[in-house]
Amino acid sequence: MKKPILTLLAWCLCALPIFAQNFNTAYLTTKIDAQKTANSKDILTTLFRASIDNLLGDDRTYTLNSSFLGFHEIINKKKPLPYSVERKLKQNSFNLGLTGDEEHNITKVSGGFTLTIKNDKDITENKIAPEFAKLRSYAAMISPLLREVRSYLVNAHPLLKNDAVKMQEIIGTWNEASRQHDFSILDNEIKKALKSSTLQQRFLDVNKSFSKEEVETLIAAILNGDDILYDEYQHIANVYAKKLLWTVSPSASYDRIHKQGEYLIATNATFGLWKKSAQKPWEFEMKAQFKIANDSTLVQSNYNDKPLSISIGLNKVLLQNQEKESKMEFKFFTQYNLQLGATPSLQEKDVFTLNATLRINVYKSLWLPVTLKYDAAKGNLLGLFTLTANLSK
Amino acid sequence: MSTITIRGEFLNSDNNWLTLDVYVPNSSGNPYNLTRTYHGSFVEELSGLENDAIYYIDFAGYTTGTVNLTISGEFKLPNPIHETITETGFSRGYTIQTNK
């Protein structure tokens, strides 16, 4: 039985990079996915998730989770999907899992689904208007501004009027600035034009729908080197990444040792706090889970173990890269476990724990979450290590 | 007279917005001024352009998917002009000179 376990381990560590090569990233709103926390991607993967729970313990669980979009991309990767269909496939996922003992025997085989009840994190057409109004307004201002810049250049350098190559050389720096999201590289002649009060006044005379403050803000941002359209787009991605995600996950597993089934239903909800803030977001999380399983201390088959678990917590992004993608997260959560089964042989009726999880992005999509559980009543401290690879782009 | 074609092909997104400006600045003899706004893919065929004349073509907008912008037709090199832009707000300016 060692082979299947080792094979699955290799699968978890190798499968995702292979999927990554197959996946056409142009079909996803990758920037919004990138802004989501690792914590929320653990609830609903955007493509694939592979994990090994209880890494240092005897009973490890190996889980592979795939959204239906991820599965579609493997089977039918060359066929582009309409966005509405792509979004539907992204909303639900399925998972397969194996649990092994210290002898590397497979003790449990499990399968289940994660179904979305509400997911506001991914953009839909009908919800887009308010968030995109500002971006649209900036874009509507930039077009006539570029026209005024050209006009200023031709007035300042009349030879430019008949020199398409030179004009494109200068305006080409605007294109490059927009590509690199860095307007500090603009040609000095464009900067000079933008600083000109004549240009600003002409712009306001011709474009009466914009206020002086709006134009001054736009020009100041450009002269400061900011790509205002890109920055606003990133801001929208950040806003969406903080919206509500609520899922329900039914699953079943087969206990090979006791030769009986186990059944589990879980629900997870998470949303970002302080929606206006673009820096290192906080996330609220609520989980509930009910399981029907066997009391393993009894020899005969039974369904006496019926634990209900409820947890509430806060997740905080500690480190981000320049693209504001999360690189390290800390979660503090309380958990209450209540035994609803008639199980005198099981330990306590209820347990209240204080918990903390530190998630560290060790390499690309590979995360190492370390969880510490503290049993407040008994003063016990328990450490759990998990290895997670969560592919979203 | 010259003809040019401007295409914008939006892929994988319903959330698109683009404004197109084609003009000759500070022109008294041959004023040309086209401003259009689009929410999806478009093709503009502009005929009747002056030969050997300079035209400015500017784009600004956003897409949550991909947009392929192409300018082709009777103008000097580089021709065609093509650019692919993915998931961002963007602005671009191009200068073309029609053939003699």
Side-chain angles (χ1 to χ4, degrees), chain A residues 103-272:
Chain A
E103 302 292 325
H104 303 292
N105 296 315
I106 295 173
T107 55
K108 278 181 197 170
V109 181
S110 64
F113 297 94
T114 296
L115 310 171
T116 296
I117 298 171
K118 192 163 174 57
N119 183 358
D120 291 336
K121 287 184 185 293
D122 290 318
I123 282 178
T124 58
E125 173 68 14
N126 58 355
K127 289 180 182 171
I128 212 153
E131 285 86 359
F132 277 74
K134 201 169 170 187
L135 177 58
R136 191 175 293 188
S137 166
Y138 282 141
M141 275 164 74
I142 278 188
S143 197
L145 182 67
L146 199 48
R147 181 188 284 240
E148 289 307 323
V149 167
R150 297 224 208 217
S151 179
Y152 180 94
L153 292 174
V154 169
N155 280 336
H157 308 282
L159 290 178
L160 273 179
K161 191 174 178 182
N162 300 314
D163 192 342
V165 174
K166 183 65 184 167
M167 174 61 92
Q168 190 53 35
E169 198 179 300
I170 296 171
I171 291 298
T173 65
W174 183 288
N175 296 351
E176 200 51 38
S178 181
R179 287 184 199 109
Q180 294 183 23
H181 315 306
D182 176 9
F183 274 69
S184 67
I185 65 169
L186 282 179
D187 189 282
N188 282 334
E189 291 298 324
I190 297 179
K191 288 180 183 172
K192 230 186 271 181
L194 290 169
K195 285 173 188 167
S196 155
S197 55
T198 314
L199 179 142
Q200 288 193 24
Q201 195 51 54
R202 252 188 69 93
F203 181 95
L204 288 167
D205 291 345
V206 177
N207 304 280
K208 296 192 188 300
S209 56
F210 300 114
S211 71
K212 192 178 177 194
E213 290 71 28
E214 285 176 315
V215 178
E216 283 174 351
T217 304
L218 175 67
I219 290 176
I222 294 170
L223 288 172
N224 193 40
D226 300 338
D227 183 346
I228 203 160
L229 295 182
Y230 174 76
D231 291 348
E232 186 56 27
Y233 189 93
Q234 288 290 92
H235 171 70
I236 293 166
N238 190 274
V239 167
Y240 269 88
K242 286 180 179 174
K243 292 194 176 194
L244 174 68
L245 172 66
W246 182 18
T247 62
V248 61
S249 307
S251 66
S253 59
Y254 180 71
D255 183 337
R256 296 181 73 240
I257 306 297
H258 298 89
K259 301 195 185 311
Q260 71 166 87
E262 290 183 0
Y263 308 96
L264 183 144
I265 187 154
T267 184
N268 296 322
T270 182
F271 56 86

